[in-house]
Amino acid sequence: MNKSAFITGITGQDGSYLAELLLEKGYEVWGMVRRSSTESYDRIEHLRDRLRFVQADLLDQPSLMAALEEAEPDEVYNLAAQSFVPTSWNQPVLTAEFTAVGVTRLLEAIRTVDPTIRVYQASSSEMFGKVRETPQTEDTPFYPRSPYGVAKVYGHYITVNYRESYGLFASSGILFNHESPRRGMEFVTRKVTDGVARIKLGLAEELRLGNLDARRDWGFAGDYVRAMWLMLQQDQPSDYVVATGATNTVRRLVEVAFSHVGLDPDEHVVIDSAFIRPAEVDVLVGDPSKARDELGWEPETDFIGLVTMMVDADLRRLSADR
């Protein structure tokens, strides 16, 4: 009998790649969608006829219980959140409701409906914030520097609590920045690759950015969802850092993207203070040793391959729109 999986946030970047992976593995895949006039299925349109959908909301626990009763999943992947850090400054309470308390509602629904369900919680490198050590491991203390990071710490620890208190098979992936052609336009990697493609095609003249010296550990989302799945196939639940172990600056991201299309970034990039965060997280770099040793997981896409993949995808998209 095929396994069944239930994904919150299925319409997002990670949800779409995870749905693809699970379908390839023969799963019946259920996606949780909110009753919303703005719900976008763009990222999963090519899969839509192979997926099953159920309406529920992380703000509404009875709807979560009803969804789980309908889907009867073996595995739940909680990828839904208000996940854009700058928005968390503008909407800190809503961010807390979705990204923190929403995790509790989902875990409580699982505990009530079927405590044998295995659950994956999407934790974040933003929990480390003002880092206490470099690189960051599963044991590095958290010091979040945004309402989003604070909410993710709550979501992480409530997952640990349900694992230890109720015996749920609940694992968290502490994922470092992971990107793809499906990344939202508001994120800096996609903003850069889309901007470079627009300039190359003559659709724009400049690209406005904030802190070029911020360093991040960037990987490919398609690689990272494989780690999520592997976590729920283990004998025991645990938490894992998922990262490449290498950092690059925003400046390096810009250089790789512009050079890929034969342009000079100095002629097009404008520094704009409007894009500087109130409290910046300067260096995030993960140590994925535990994931490598226990899960057998390795990233397959390097930084240059990731950036050029994204630039090429944006060039194709914008050329098709013309």
Side-chain angles (χ1 to χ4, degrees):
M1 185 172 163
N2 288 355
K3 280 187 178 179
S4 170
F6 180 91
I7 303 173
T8 75
I10 194 168
T11 59
Q13 169 189 257
D14 293 6
S16 66
Y17 281 108
L18 179 61
E20 284 178 351
L21 177 75
L22 295 175
L23 287 170
E24 284 172 16
K25 294 184 178 298
Y27 279 67
E28 178 180 66
V29 179
W30 289 76
M32 185 184 94
V33 291
R34 296 165 62 203
R35 180 74 186 98
S36 167
S37 58
T38 58
E39 193 68 67
S40 170
Y41 291 83
D42 293 353
R43 296 183 181 95
I44 54 170
E45 197 59 55
H46 62 298
L47 306 172
R48 206 163 164 180
D49 60 344
R50 301 168 62 196
L51 301 170
R52 303 186 70 171
F53 295 98
V54 60
Q55 283 187 359
D57 198 308
L58 287 178
L59 303 186
D60 182 61
Q61 191 172 321
S63 72
L64 295 172
M65 294 173 66
L68 292 172
E69 286 168 350
E70 182 178 348
E72 298 183 330
D74 299 292
E75 299 170 0
V76 167
Y77 295 85
N78 184 34
L79 310 184
Q82 190 299 102
S83 61
F84 187 46
V85 174
T87 297
S88 77
W89 294 102
N90 299 328
Q91 297 182 304
V93 177
L94 185 68
T95 298
E97 284 287 352
F98 274 116
T99 308
V101 185
V103 183
T104 316
R105 294 190 189 100
L106 181 60
L107 289 168
E108 187 64 11
I110 289 168
R111 184 179 78 85
T112 306
V113 172
D114 181 359
T116 68
I117 293 170
R118 295 188 169 203
V119 57
Y120 169 84
Q121 166 59 16
S123 289
S124 167
S125 60
E126 289 285 333
M127 300 189 305
F128 295 121
K130 190 173 181 179
V131 299
R132 295 331 227 180
E133 63 182 5
T134 299
Q136 292 88 54
T137 73
E138 293 79 8
D139 299 319
T140 301
F142 299 136
Y143 192 146
R145 297 268 281 170
S146 67
Y148 170 75
V150 172
K152 278 293 185 183
V153 170
Y154 177 100
H156 181 83
Y157 277 130
I158 199 69
T159 302
V160 172
N161 267 259
Y162 269 69
R163 179 169 75 217
E164 295 179 351
S165 302
Y166 298 119
L168 290 190
F169 192 109
S171 293
S172 291
I174 305 173
L175 269 59
F176 281 66
N177 294 65
H178 46 291
E179 319 297 317
S180 76
R182 301 177 194 171
R183 189 58 142 153
M185 290 291 185
E186 67 272 25
F187 292 88
V188 69
T189 46
R190 189 70 194 286
K191 183 178 177 182
V192 168
T193 62
D194 175 72
V196 166
R198 287 179 184 278
I199 292 167
K200 179 64 177 177
L201 294 172
L203 301 173
E205 287 294 314
E206 66 179 30
L207 174 61
R208 303 184 80 85
L209 296 169
N211 179 14
L212 296 187
D213 295 318
R215 301 184 72 89
R216 291 292 182 274
D217 183 332
W218 279 301
F220 173 48
D223 289 339
Y224 284 36
V225 299
R226 198 160 30 84
M228 299 176 187
W229 175 76
L230 286 166
M231 285 178 215
L232 297 196
Q233 313 314 308
Q234 303 306 301
D235 292 333
Q236 297 295 327
S238 191
D239 304 322
Y240 297 88
V241 164
V242 181
T244 69
T247 62
N248 287 278
T249 60
V250 176
R251 181 174 280 104
R252 174 72 174 142
L253 165 69
V254 168
E255 289 168 354
V256 172
F258 273 97
S259 69
H260 183 57
V261 296
L263 294 175
D264 181 355
D266 293 339
E267 296 177 7
H268 302 282
V269 174
V270 177
I271 303 304
D272 187 337
S273 60
F275 297 115
I276 305 287
R277 288 186 190 182
E280 181 58 89
V281 174
D282 295 316
V283 183
L284 288 172
V285 54
D287 177 356
S289 299
K290 181 180 176 184
R292 184 180 62 237
D293 296 344
E294 294 187 12
L295 304 178
W297 178 84
E298 294 269 9
E300 295 175 358
T301 307
D302 66 10
F303 179 70
I304 292 176
L306 172 65
V307 177
T308 56
M309 172 207 304
M310 292 175 67
V311 172
D312 288 342
D314 280 323
L315 284 169
R316 283 194 301 272
R317 177 180 57 85
L318 291 166
S319 298
D321 289 345
R322 298 176 82 177

